[in-house]
Amino acid sequence: MTTVISVPPSLDEQTFEHVIEQLAPVPEGQKILVDARHARWASPYGLTALLCLAQSREDRMAFAVPEHPETLSYWSRTGFFRHAGELFELHGAVPRARDAHESDVLLEITPIVRSDDVHGVVGRIQQKAADILHGQLGLDTAITGAFGMTLSESCQNIVEHAGQGGWVAVQTYKYARRLGRRVVVIAVCDAGVGFRRSLESAPGHRVSDRWDDAMALEDAVLRAVSRFRHGDHGRGQGLAGIRRFVGRWQGKLTVRSGTARLAITPEWDEDVPMTESLPYFPGAQMQITIPERIGEPTPRAKSAPVSSARPRPSERET
């Protein structure tokens, strides 16, 4: 018997939860077909998370590729099939590998395993990022260096904490419904140990009754706690730097790990600060969204204070 996991027509960080919901109750050893035949669009988060989906199970899953030619062409240009072919058993008309290349994609899907990979990613993207962030999105030139540093810190978290490789992808597109402006989106996803297990491995870590994936996210993202911080007070600042970058440019940061998801939201978005009791998914999945600048600077983003990261009972999703 084969369990079919349906990929939503539009795949992003919100709709990928439907994929996890379908996968969570399927026992290990069960044959799985990930059916993307009807997919029409996917964000960098959606595509990198699909690769993590393949890494989340020991048994190789089957994958039915999109049927629509435009979707197939776009997914190919992002480099998705080049990596998916090594992780899934692909079914359908897959474009030849030589068709994969960068065009309107700022950075195609790139594997991150070692620190050298991080340096390569930042080096490749630096000039192109400057052209798009400053030239096309109207952002201050100062963002280019900060953007490269944020990208580097995001990828370095995979090297130091995931316990296995991960993926990064960057793209610009228009947030027509939510914002009416163009944005640049960074997705950094892995299927490794996740924040909770990473922090539990720190020397002297004490597990309290409240200790769970949500508290681990609060510690890592809001309090700059790291398993390397013991005896080294310079560590643990990578995520803090990302948080400051997002606030400076009125952007949005979301981090999902285990069964929880934390969001730091700007004025233009209404996401909840913390979502708990989600279906379990290994590793950590991060998305950073920076909007195009129009006119005078808008008020700073609502950087969630530490004490308010976990929502009050009335605000929690049921």
Side-chain angles (χ1 to χ4, degrees):
M1 178 180 175
T2 299
T3 298
V4 178
I5 306 294
S6 298
V7 175
S10 180
L11 185 65
D12 58 19
E13 65 165 334
Q14 299 288 344
T15 59
F16 189 76
E17 293 298 325
H18 299 314
V19 176
I20 300 175
E21 289 170 3
Q22 296 173 73
L23 179 68
V26 181
E28 288 285 352
Q30 178 80 50
K31 291 183 178 179
I32 296 173
L33 168 65
V34 180
D35 185 2
R37 288 177 300 160
H38 305 298
R40 294 298 306 272
W41 183 83
S43 69
Y45 183 101
L47 293 175
T48 52
L50 277 178
L51 297 176
C52 293
L53 190 77
Q55 296 174 309
S56 70
R57 298 273 174 143
E58 292 186 2
D59 295 322
R60 195 177 180 91
M61 302 181 197
F63 187 93
V65 305
E67 293 180 338
H68 197 282
E70 291 183 3
T71 308
L72 202 59
S73 175
Y74 173 70
W75 287 30
S76 179
R77 292 199 307 274
T78 67
F80 175 78
F81 295 118
R82 187 164 63 249
H83 305 297
E86 300 176 357
L87 300 172
F88 290 104
E89 177 186 300
L90 297 181
H91 295 268
V94 180
R96 289 174 295 180
R98 69 180 186 182
D99 293 333
H101 60 85
E102 293 182 41
S103 55
D104 56 337
V105 178
L106 184 59
L107 177 70
E108 65 179 14
I109 298 170
T110 302
I112 300 294
V113 179
R114 304 174 299 273
S115 291
D116 288 348
D117 298 330
V118 177
H119 300 151
V121 165
V122 176
R124 283 175 55 197
I125 205 171
Q126 202 70 19
Q127 183 55 51
K128 198 166 186 176
D131 294 342
I132 292 178
L133 296 171
H134 178 60
Q136 297 186 32
L137 300 190
L139 299 171
D140 193 288
T141 52
I143 192 175
T144 305
F147 179 83
M149 187 174 298
T150 300
L151 188 64
S152 175
E153 296 286 3
S154 305
C155 296
Q156 194 65 33
N157 276 322
I158 290 178
V159 177
E160 295 187 347
H161 301 284
Q164 66 178 52
W167 311 92
V168 58
V170 184
Q171 184 189 352
T172 59
Y173 51 84
K174 189 168 184 177
Y175 258 26
R177 185 178 55 186
R178 234 181 303 183
L179 189 60
R181 280 189 265 166
R182 295 186 68 193
V183 296
V184 59
V185 176
I186 308 169
V188 183
C189 297
D190 70 76
V193 301
F195 282 99
R196 179 177 176 177
R197 283 183 54 194
S198 177
L199 294 179
E200 286 175 353
S201 68
H205 174 77
R206 294 181 181 179
V207 177
S208 69
D209 293 340
R210 286 188 62 242
W211 180 247
D212 56 14
D213 288 315
M215 191 171 180
L217 275 177
E218 290 179 0
D219 278 356
V221 179
L222 302 180
R223 303 187 184 97
V225 176
S226 168
R227 69 186 172 101
F228 296 117
R229 201 172 181 181
H230 180 76
D232 184 353
H233 297 292
R235 307 303 294 267
Q237 295 303 308
L239 283 167
I242 293 170
R243 191 156 47 88
R244 287 193 296 271
F245 171 82
V246 169
R248 170 69 179 82
W249 300 101
Q250 293 82 52
K252 178 181 179 181
L253 169 66
T254 61
V255 187
R256 189 196 198 284
S257 186
T259 60
R261 177 178 176 275
L262 182 150
I264 296 176
T265 59
E267 299 289 347
W268 50 264
D269 193 273
E270 297 180 346
D271 208 342
V272 295
M274 177 68 80
T275 307
E276 300 177 70
S277 302
L278 294 168
Y280 176 77
F281 192 68
Q285 298 80 45
M286 178 189 304
Q287 177 169 288
I288 299 167
T289 306
I290 304 298
E292 174 186 16
R293 179 179 174 180
I294 296 177
E296 294 300 317
T298 54
R300 292 176 67 85
K302 298 182 292 184
S303 292
V306 172
S307 59
S308 65
R310 191 181 294 240
R312 294 184 292 276
S314 62
E315 296 173 324
R316 296 187 184 187
E317 291 193 349
T318 56

PDB file of all heavy atoms in Angstrom, residues 103-115:
ATOM      1  N   SER A 103      17.912  32.683 -13.688  1.00  0.00           N
ATOM      2  CA  SER A 103      17.425  33.741 -14.568  1.00  0.00           C
ATOM      3  C   SER A 103      16.861  34.831 -13.671  1.00  0.00           C
ATOM      4  O   SER A 103      17.608  35.674 -13.181  1.00  0.00           O
ATOM      5  CB  SER A 103      16.370  33.178 -15.530  1.00  0.00           C
ATOM      6  OG  SER A 103      15.331  32.539 -14.822  1.00  0.00           O
ATOM      7  N   ASP A 104      15.533  34.799 -13.421  1.00  0.00           N
ATOM      8  CA  ASP A 104      14.975  35.783 -12.511  1.00  0.00           C
ATOM      9  C   ASP A 104      15.139  35.339 -11.061  1.00  0.00           C
ATOM     10  O   ASP A 104      14.716  36.040 -10.147  1.00  0.00           O
ATOM     11  CB  ASP A 104      13.495  35.991 -12.828  1.00  0.00           C
ATOM     12  CG  ASP A 104      12.711  34.697 -12.790  1.00  0.00           C
ATOM     13  OD1 ASP A 104      13.324  33.630 -12.958  1.00  0.00           O
ATOM     14  OD2 ASP A 104      11.488  34.757 -12.593  1.00  0.00           O
ATOM     15  N   VAL A 105      15.701  34.178 -10.836  1.00  0.00           N
ATOM     16  CA  VAL A 105      15.934  33.691  -9.481  1.00  0.00           C
ATOM     17  C   VAL A 105      17.228  34.282  -8.971  1.00  0.00           C
ATOM     18  O   VAL A 105      18.260  34.195  -9.631  1.00  0.00           O
ATOM     19  CB  VAL A 105      16.017  32.149  -9.461  1.00  0.00           C
ATOM     20  CG1 VAL A 105      16.314  31.646  -8.055  1.00  0.00           C
ATOM     21  CG2 VAL A 105      14.733  31.563  -9.992  1.00  0.00           C
ATOM     22  N   LEU A 106      17.154  34.919  -7.804  1.00  0.00           N
ATOM     23  CA  LEU A 106      18.347  35.568  -7.251  1.00  0.00           C
ATOM     24  C   LEU A 106      19.412  34.534  -6.927  1.00  0.00           C
ATOM     25  O   LEU A 106      20.565  34.700  -7.246  1.00  0.00           O
ATOM     26  CB  LEU A 106      17.956  36.349  -6.001  1.00  0.00           C
ATOM     27  CG  LEU A 106      19.048  37.169  -5.326  1.00  0.00           C
ATOM     28  CD1 LEU A 106      19.621  38.183  -6.285  1.00  0.00           C
ATOM     29  CD2 LEU A 106      18.486  37.853  -4.090  1.00  0.00           C
ATOM     30  N   LEU A 107      19.038  33.459  -6.281  1.00  0.00           N
ATOM     31  CA  LEU A 107      19.968  32.374  -5.979  1.00  0.00           C
ATOM     32  C   LEU A 107      19.200  31.076  -6.070  1.00  0.00           C
ATOM     33  O   LEU A 107      18.249  30.854  -5.328  1.00  0.00           O
ATOM     34  CB  LEU A 107      20.554  32.529  -4.577  1.00  0.00           C
ATOM     35  CG  LEU A 107      21.499  31.388  -4.153  1.00  0.00           C
ATOM     36  CD1 LEU A 107      22.810  31.445  -4.935  1.00  0.00           C
ATOM     37  CD2 LEU A 107      21.763  31.445  -2.660  1.00  0.00           C
ATOM     38  N   GLU A 108      19.604  30.212  -6.975  1.00  0.00           N
ATOM     39  CA  GLU A 108      18.922  28.929  -7.101  1.00  0.00           C
ATOM     40  C   GLU A 108      19.202  28.084  -5.862  1.00  0.00           C
ATOM     41  O   GLU A 108      20.088  28.396  -5.061  1.00  0.00           O
ATOM     42  CB  GLU A 108      19.374  28.210  -8.361  1.00  0.00           C
ATOM     43  CG  GLU A 108      20.841  27.820  -8.340  1.00  0.00           C
ATOM     44  CD  GLU A 108      21.235  27.093  -9.619  1.00  0.00           C
ATOM     45  OE1 GLU A 108      20.470  27.121 -10.597  1.00  0.00           O
ATOM     46  OE2 GLU A 108      22.321  26.513  -9.622  1.00  0.00           O
ATOM     47  N   ILE A 109      18.438  27.020  -5.684  1.00  0.00           N
ATOM     48  CA  ILE A 109      18.573  26.162  -4.512  1.00  0.00           C
ATOM     49  C   ILE A 109      20.006  25.641  -4.416  1.00  0.00           C
ATOM     50  O   ILE A 109      20.549  25.077  -5.369  1.00  0.00           O
ATOM     51  CB  ILE A 109      17.591  24.984  -4.597  1.00  0.00           C
ATOM     52  CG1 ILE A 109      16.146  25.494  -4.622  1.00  0.00           C
ATOM     53  CG2 ILE A 109      17.799  24.040  -3.426  1.00  0.00           C
ATOM     54  CD1 ILE A 109      15.135  24.419  -4.945  1.00  0.00           C
ATOM     55  N   THR A 110      20.606  25.863  -3.258  1.00  0.00           N
ATOM     56  CA  THR A 110      22.014  25.517  -3.056  1.00  0.00           C
ATOM     57  C   THR A 110      22.165  24.696  -1.790  1.00  0.00           C
ATOM     58  O   THR A 110      21.640  25.078  -0.739  1.00  0.00           O
ATOM     59  CB  THR A 110      22.857  26.806  -2.930  1.00  0.00           C
ATOM     60  OG1 THR A 110      22.676  27.594  -4.106  1.00  0.00           O
ATOM     61  CG2 THR A 110      24.328  26.484  -2.754  1.00  0.00           C
ATOM     62  N   PRO A 111      22.860  23.561  -1.856  1.00  0.00           N
ATOM     63  CA  PRO A 111      23.084  22.775  -0.635  1.00  0.00           C
ATOM     64  C   PRO A 111      24.120  23.433   0.262  1.00  0.00           C
ATOM     65  O   PRO A 111      25.091  24.019  -0.227  1.00  0.00           O
ATOM     66  CB  PRO A 111      23.580  21.423  -1.178  1.00  0.00           C
ATOM     67  CG  PRO A 111      24.177  21.750  -2.500  1.00  0.00           C
ATOM     68  CD  PRO A 111      23.403  22.899  -3.061  1.00  0.00           C
ATOM     69  N   ILE A 112      23.894  23.340   1.560  1.00  0.00           N
ATOM     70  CA  ILE A 112      24.838  23.854   2.559  1.00  0.00           C
ATOM     71  C   ILE A 112      25.237  22.696   3.465  1.00  0.00           C
ATOM     72  O   ILE A 112      24.394  22.135   4.175  1.00  0.00           O
ATOM     73  CB  ILE A 112      24.205  24.971   3.418  1.00  0.00           C
ATOM     74  CG1 ILE A 112      23.769  26.143   2.536  1.00  0.00           C
ATOM     75  CG2 ILE A 112      25.177  25.430   4.492  1.00  0.00           C
ATOM     76  CD1 ILE A 112      24.891  26.873   1.869  1.00  0.00           C
ATOM     77  N   VAL A 113      26.502  22.341   3.432  1.00  0.00           N
ATOM     78  CA  VAL A 113      26.986  21.245   4.285  1.00  0.00           C
ATOM     79  C   VAL A 113      28.157  21.705   5.142  1.00  0.00           C
ATOM     80  O   VAL A 113      28.226  21.423   6.334  1.00  0.00           O
ATOM     81  CB  VAL A 113      27.414  20.034   3.420  1.00  0.00           C
ATOM     82  CG1 VAL A 113      27.939  18.904   4.307  1.00  0.00           C
ATOM     83  CG2 VAL A 113      26.238  19.543   2.575  1.00  0.00           C
ATOM     84  N   ARG A 114      29.075  22.453   4.520  1.00  0.00           N
ATOM     85  CA  ARG A 114      30.288  22.891   5.228  1.00  0.00           C
ATOM     86  C   ARG A 114      30.373  24.419   5.222  1.00  0.00           C
ATOM     87  O   ARG A 114      29.669  25.084   4.468  1.00  0.00           O
ATOM     88  CB  ARG A 114      31.528  22.314   4.531  1.00  0.00           C
ATOM     89  CG  ARG A 114      31.537  20.804   4.401  1.00  0.00           C
ATOM     90  CD  ARG A 114      32.736  20.366   3.573  1.00  0.00           C
ATOM     91  NE  ARG A 114      32.671  20.939   2.233  1.00  0.00           N
ATOM     92  CZ  ARG A 114      32.019  20.369   1.209  1.00  0.00           C
ATOM     93  NH1 ARG A 114      31.369  19.231   1.395  1.00  0.00           N
ATOM     94  NH2 ARG A 114      31.996  20.951   0.033  1.00  0.00           N
ATOM     95  N   SER A 115      31.278  24.945   6.042  1.00  0.00           N
ATOM     96  CA  SER A 115      31.479  26.401   6.092  1.00  0.00           C
ATOM     97  C   SER A 115      31.908  26.933   4.732  1.00  0.00           C
ATOM     98  O   SER A 115      31.571  28.062   4.362  1.00  0.00           O
ATOM     99  CB  SER A 115      32.534  26.754   7.148  1.00  0.00           C
ATOM    100  OG  SER A 115      32.044  26.507   8.443  1.00  0.00           O
TER     101      SER A 115
END
